[in-house]
């Protein structure tokens, strides 16, 4: 079965690409800037991408830590 082809600019069509559209990228950028502005007003001066990157590192460390533990039912 072939994937349906889409037409640009038609919101009724199903998107077949995993790449975000320019509108989605702009919307994400504006959202990130608004969050960074809100954080700055609270005295947190960091880029949102740095915060997300740090959170991803913490999440990875937690997942790795859990996978290294012995299952409790084997103790």
């Amino acid at each position: 079965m072939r994937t349906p082809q889409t037409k640009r600019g038609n919101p009724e069509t199903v998107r077949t690409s995993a790449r975000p559209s320019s509108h989605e990228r702009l919307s994400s950028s504006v959202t990130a800037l608004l969050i960074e502005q809100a954080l700055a007003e609270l005295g947190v001066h960091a880029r949102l991408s740095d915060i997300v990157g740090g959170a991803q590192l913490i999440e990875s460390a937690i997942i790795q830590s859990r996978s290294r533990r012995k299952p409790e039912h084997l103790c």
Side-chain angles (χ1 to χ4, degrees), residues 3-74:
T3 304
Q5 297 297 314
T6 61
K7 296 178 183 177
R8 288 185 146 231
N10 185 349
E12 299 299 319
T13 58
V14 176
R15 294 201 44 211
T16 58
S17 172
R19 278 181 52 198
S21 69
S22 59
H23 180 266
E24 289 168 327
R25 287 191 305 271
L26 177 61
S27 177
S28 294
S29 296
V30 169
T31 300
L33 288 172
L34 289 171
I35 292 170
E36 288 176 0
Q37 181 181 5
L39 290 171
E41 289 173 3
L42 294 170
V44 178
H45 298 284
R47 292 180 47 205
L48 185 59
S49 60
D50 295 338
I51 294 170
V52 170
Q56 289 170 336
L57 287 174
I58 292 168
E59 179 182 38
S60 294
I62 291 170
I63 291 170
Q64 287 176 359
S65 173
R66 286 181 180 166
S67 68
R68 290 181 184 157
R69 286 187 206 157
K70 286 169 83 174
E72 290 182 21
H73 67 281
L74 295 178

